[in-house]
Amino acid sequence: SLNFETVHQHKNGTRVPVEIFLQYIATQGNQSRFVAIVRDITERKRAEAELRIAAIAFDSREGVVVTDAQQAILKVNQAFTRITGYAATEAIGTTPGRLLKSGRHDSVFYKAMWECLQRDKFWQGEVWNRRKCGVIYPEWLSISMLTNEHGDVVNYVAMFSDITEKKQAEETIYNLAFYDPLTDLPNRRLLQDRLQHTLASSARHQRHGAVLFIDLDNFKALNDTRGHDIGDMLLIEVATRLKTCVRTDDTVARQGGDEFVVVLSDLSAKAGQAAVQAETVAEKIRAELNQPFTLSGTEYHGSPSIGITLFLAHEVSVDELLKRADTAMYQAKRSGRNAIRFFDPETHAAMEVRISLETDLRYALPKNQLRLYYQIQVDHKGDIFGAEVLLRWQHPSKGLVPPLQFIPLAEDTGLILPIGLWVLETACKQIQEWEKDPRTQHLQLAVNVSARQFRQSDFVKQVSNIMEKTGIDPRRLKLELTESLVLDNINQTIAKMQALKSMGVGFSMDDFGTGYSSLAYLTLLPLDQVKIDQSFVRNLGSKPGNAVIVQTIIGMTKNLGLNVIAEGVETLEQRDFLEQHGCHHFQGYLFGKPVPIEVLETSLLQNRTGIALPNQKKA
Ligand code: C2E
Ligand code: MG
Ligand code: MG
């Protein structure tokens, strides 16, 4: 006999699972017979499949509870026990509500849930429940209502999963987005948001508020010398101290780096009074941050620079307020640090200009906006022996910007390095051009060099590279240095100057007389020339003392065997005075203003400047 399952085709075409029972019967007369019993097992198959599904569901990672119509628990699975802490024996017979209710939801919540179940036979959502151990946890719950063919409730089946971890992840993400992980203070984003709210509340109550911008003095030095871990410790401690200086409603935020921002709300309706209140808090903060810190066992003394700006309602935007407080902080720094300053509109306007200029300056070189102007230098006969190159910036909207307006900026930002190199290269290319023509090949070009540019460790190499590239005679190049540059690191300066000098490059001491003007260092430096500052020349007639100074400088250079040139010579009187006292080289508007190269070339063709021959006129 044989027993097996297979699939048959019904007359109507559908496929039917069947069980076949086949029996061989041997009859008399040796006739063979088979008896086959075929049973339709469609129902049995379906039931089996359901059982399998149910078993899988019941075995799932999700908690499952089956109750009767009165919500009495009939069945729970393993996951239920794992999540809630209750064994099946403890759960069966009681209701989920009695067992798990956390008390976190009010009756309105449960009423809405039941209404939804009655209507849709299904509900899902987030629920806070309580584990057997008492801990409240969040779960994602879905409840199905099962009814019979008459519509009566037979069972409720609830499935839920523990979403504690997901919630924590969400919270972490929130914290990362709005809080500084190091200090736990609100970050820049949350600060903006809080400030916006504070402005709104200031408008509602017509009371002032204040933004305090706090920057730690010399923080970079601490970071550099003792490492970032110590720097971090200081920031954490500063955060803690700042919180003790303000009320709970006020915001202390970390703006980034060593910058903190405090927002004070609910100050006086009167501006003067509010300013006093804000300053009192700032003073408290300053005192607090002047207390020594103990960082990893050693004592550290720090101080803050604090900028304050007041606000009332929405007079200015959040961004603008932060900028103002920042400007005021910058003023506090400039005044010598460890200080408190209120926002001042005038300095702010100046800073705005500076910032926009700084942005534009980044493009000046790549966009070909820099120009070199040339101002001739003449001797006592009026012969042109050279020129000084003076930088100009052809700004797209501001026109020709003079160097004093952007060179300090270029120094601060480091842009002076590529710019200075460009000036040197361009000047040397000009010398190269001049060398080709007998009428100009004797000319010398003076180039101003910035402190930061000169201090680069490879400055000498930069110059020698340019010499090599252009192939010019190095004696045609003269570098103008200033006293402060030279004195900054005198030994290194001398070494560099000597290296360049041995190549043949010349040196002039620019603006002489405005700095230390000490004879001692003049003797140490391998200089060729001293340039009398234009302030002395300008006032030769009006300030009697200046005549003495000029004579002294001239005498000094004579004794040291140096050449002397006067800059800023505007009148014949000035020129004659200088000449009489032994200065035979001049530069100034009297002979020519700084001009573009094309203009210069026309004067060069005449070689002599008509005005500059007073001696001959006299003669
Ligand atoms: P400086 O090197 O002392 O240049 C002399 C300044 O005096 C120039 O101003 C020039 O135009 C001006 N000047 C010349 N003759 C007269 C005169 O008779 N009367 C008056 N009132 N002024 C006269 P400028 O071109 O505005 O340059 C100012 C300063 O900018 C320069 O002072 C120099 O320190 C700096 N500078 C200019 N070009 C460069 C450069 O390429 N690199 C660096 N690092 N600094 C530069
Ligand atoms: Mg100069
Ligand atoms: Mg000068």
Side-chain angles (χ1 to χ4, degrees):
S1 75
L2 207 58
N3 187 4
F4 62 96
E5 288 180 11
T6 185
V7 179
H8 279 180
Q9 188 153 349
H10 194 267
K11 189 182 173 193
N12 66 12
T14 57
R15 292 163 70 83
V16 184
V18 291
E19 182 182 55
I20 312 253
F21 186 76
L22 200 62
Q23 178 80 45
Y24 172 73
I25 306 165
T27 56
Q28 282 165 346
N30 253 351
Q31 278 191 315
S32 299
R33 293 281 190 277
F34 287 96
V35 176
I37 300 165
V38 180
R39 183 188 297 154
D40 180 345
I41 55 170
T42 308
E43 269 312 306
R44 196 177 85 199
K45 282 277 164 205
R46 182 162 38 227
E48 272 173 16
E50 269 174 18
L51 262 177
R52 241 185 342 258
I53 292 165
I56 291 167
F58 226 67
D59 201 30
S60 75
R61 290 174 46 81
E62 288 190 40
V64 179
V65 189
V66 182
T67 74
D68 64 13
Q70 281 69 48
Q71 300 169 44
I73 298 176
L74 301 174
K75 234 180 148 171
V76 297
N77 71 350
Q78 294 254 305
F80 172 92
T81 304
R82 185 168 42 77
I83 296 170
T84 65
Y86 290 106
T89 47
E90 294 172 291
I92 289 168
T94 174
T95 70
R98 253 178 271 151
L99 206 59
L100 305 171
K101 210 171 210 163
S102 67
R104 281 238 184 145
H105 304 285
D106 54 12
S107 56
V108 179
F109 175 84
Y110 291 108
K111 192 163 164 265
M113 174 171 140
W114 280 108
E115 276 169 13
C116 175
L117 256 178
Q118 300 305 321
R119 188 179 64 237
D120 305 336
K121 298 190 176 180
F122 184 75
W123 181 89
Q124 65 178 354
E126 233 177 77
V127 175
W128 291 93
N129 270 345
R130 185 192 300 273
R131 297 190 220 275
K132 188 179 175 187
C133 61
V135 172
I136 292 175
Y137 68 98
E139 63 177 37
W140 181 256
L141 172 66
S142 46
I143 309 175
S144 305
M145 186 171 92
L146 306 186
T147 51
N148 61 18
E149 60 266 37
H150 310 298
D152 306 322
V153 179
V154 183
N155 296 114
Y156 293 102
V157 177
M159 300 183 76
F160 60 94
S161 50
D162 186 341
I163 53 169
T164 308
E165 279 173 21
K166 184 166 157 272
K167 277 256 168 213
Q168 277 166 352
E170 274 171 17
E171 212 164 290
T172 313
I173 289 166
Y174 175 84
N175 282 344
L176 279 178
F178 293 106
Y179 288 87
D180 165 42
L182 181 68
T183 59
D184 275 341
L185 292 179
N187 65 11
R188 190 191 292 253
R189 246 159 95 188
L190 187 54
L191 168 69
Q192 298 247 342
D193 193 54
R194 294 255 181 104
L195 197 47
Q196 198 67 55
H197 282 107
T198 315
L199 292 190
S201 126
S202 159
R204 262 197 314 279
H205 303 110
Q206 280 301 304
R207 297 179 77 90
H208 283 88
V211 177
L212 277 57
F213 204 107
I214 301 153
D215 186 285
L216 306 181
D217 298 332
N218 306 316
F219 179 72
K220 196 179 171 301
L222 174 75
N223 243 350
D224 290 350
T225 53
R226 298 196 45 201
H228 287 262
D229 289 349
I230 298 291
D232 284 354
M233 279 182 183
L234 179 69
L235 293 175
I236 293 167
E237 179 61 22
V238 166
T240 313
R241 291 192 191 180
L242 285 178
K243 280 187 278 192
T244 66
C245 296
V246 300
R247 295 171 302 184
T248 43
D249 285 353
D250 299 329
T251 296
V252 178
R254 181 164 171 226
Q255 175 83 347
D258 59 340
E259 296 172 344
F260 295 85
V261 170
V262 168
V263 179
L264 305 177
S265 55
D266 226 10
L267 303 180
S268 170
K270 294 201 191 83
Q273 186 67 31
V276 172
Q277 290 170 324
E279 190 168 16
T280 309
V281 176
E283 195 48 65
K284 192 169 158 192
I285 290 173
R286 201 182 66 83
E288 191 61 50
L289 299 186
N290 270 276
Q291 296 296 316
F293 294 85
T294 309
L295 304 175
S296 180
T298 47
E299 207 169 79
Y300 172 76
H301 291 266
S303 65
S305 295
I306 306 177
I308 310 176
T309 189
L310 294 180
F311 59 85
L312 181 67
H314 297 281
E315 279 166 355
V316 286
S317 70
V318 164
D319 281 344
E320 178 64 19
L321 273 179
L322 288 170
K323 262 206 268 177
R324 289 182 175 188
D326 190 10
T327 303
M329 184 281 291
Y330 187 73
Q331 285 303 110
K333 278 246 187 280
R334 293 264 303 242
S335 77
R337 305 183 168 171
N338 195 17
I340 299 166
R341 285 289 175 280
F342 272 88
F343 164 73
D344 162 51
E346 263 168 47
T347 19
H348 189 61
M351 289 244 328
E352 296 267 85
V353 169
R354 190 192 142 101
I355 288 166
S356 88
L357 214 57
E358 186 179 315
T359 316
D360 295 348
L361 189 59
R362 295 189 185 280
Y363 300 101
L365 196 55
K367 287 192 174 169
N368 267 325
Q369 294 168 350
L370 296 180
R371 309 273 177 273
L372 282 190
Y373 273 45
Y374 296 77
Q375 186 177 32
I376 52 167
Q377 299 180 329
V378 302
D379 63 15
H380 63 287
K381 295 197 305 263
D383 289 343
I384 301 169
F385 65 90
E388 177 179 9
V389 289
L390 293 159
L391 190 57
R392 300 288 181 268
W393 175 16
Q394 186 67 55
H395 188 279
S397 60
K398 294 190 171 71
L400 211 57
V401 185
L404 291 181
Q405 278 180 33
F406 69 89
I407 289 205
L409 206 60
E411 285 256 355
D412 286 355
T413 53
L415 285 167
I416 193 68
L417 302 182
I419 290 177
L421 187 62
W422 176 85
V423 172
L424 258 176
E425 281 171 349
T426 313
C428 290
K429 277 187 206 144
Q430 189 54 54
I431 295 173
Q432 197 184 9
E433 284 303 305
W434 283 346
E435 283 188 345
K436 293 177 190 159
D437 187 332
R439 285 174 301 181
T440 51
Q441 64 187 186
H442 63 286
L443 295 172
Q444 205 180 27
L445 257 190
V447 175
N448 294 286
V449 176
S450 269
R452 193 151 170 191
Q453 190 185 357
F454 190 80
R455 261 183 249 135
Q456 294 173 96
S457 55
D458 66 341
F459 182 71
V460 176
K461 184 91 194 109
Q462 287 179 17
V463 177
S464 69
N465 282 347
I466 296 173
M467 293 298 141
E468 230 163 80
K469 221 162 51 183
T470 53
I472 58 166
D473 177 356
R475 285 172 306 178
R476 301 275 154 260
L477 179 67
K478 188 162 63 182
L479 300 180
E480 291 196 2
L481 309 181
T482 55
E483 289 175 85
S484 52
L485 178 157
V486 162
L487 291 175
D488 184 59
N489 184 341
I490 190 135
N491 291 330
Q492 216 177 66
T493 306
I494 293 172
K496 275 188 190 171
M497 284 175 76
Q498 266 158 356
L500 289 162
K501 181 113 195 137
S502 65
M503 284 162 48
V505 176
F507 286 100
S508 182
M509 178 60 67
D510 202 354
D511 306 339
F512 190 77
T514 55
Y516 300 84
S517 321
S518 113
L519 185 66
Y521 83 75
L522 265 194
T523 59
L524 289 173
L525 302 171
L527 285 169
D528 299 274
Q529 185 182 60
V530 165
K531 211 171 186 185
I532 306 172
D533 188 67
Q534 50 182 292
S535 58
F536 303 115
V537 176
R538 186 178 313 129
N539 299 318
L540 263 182
S542 54
K543 281 193 193 160
N546 278 353
V548 181
I549 293 174
V550 168
Q551 287 174 52
T552 312
I553 295 175
I554 296 172
M556 205 155 108
T557 55
K558 279 268 145 66
N559 291 334
L560 291 171
L562 298 175
N563 177 288
V564 63
I565 185 169
E567 66 180 349
V569 182
E570 294 185 359
T571 66
L572 281 173
E573 288 72 31
Q574 291 165 350
R575 185 217 165 274
D576 288 347
F577 179 92
L578 289 159
E579 163 94 51
Q580 273 159 28
H581 292 90
C583 173
H584 306 297
H585 296 106
F586 317 100
Q587 181 183 345
Y589 292 173
L590 178 65
F591 312 97
K593 292 197 169 177
V595 288
I597 188 70
E598 312 80 58
V599 183
L600 178 80
E601 309 235 92
T602 38
S603 354
L604 283 179
L605 289 182
Q606 299 159 350
N607 193 358
R608 284 188 177 179
T609 51
I611 5 157
L613 301 166
N615 281 346
Q616 292 181 359
K617 264 186 224 157
K618 269 181 216 158

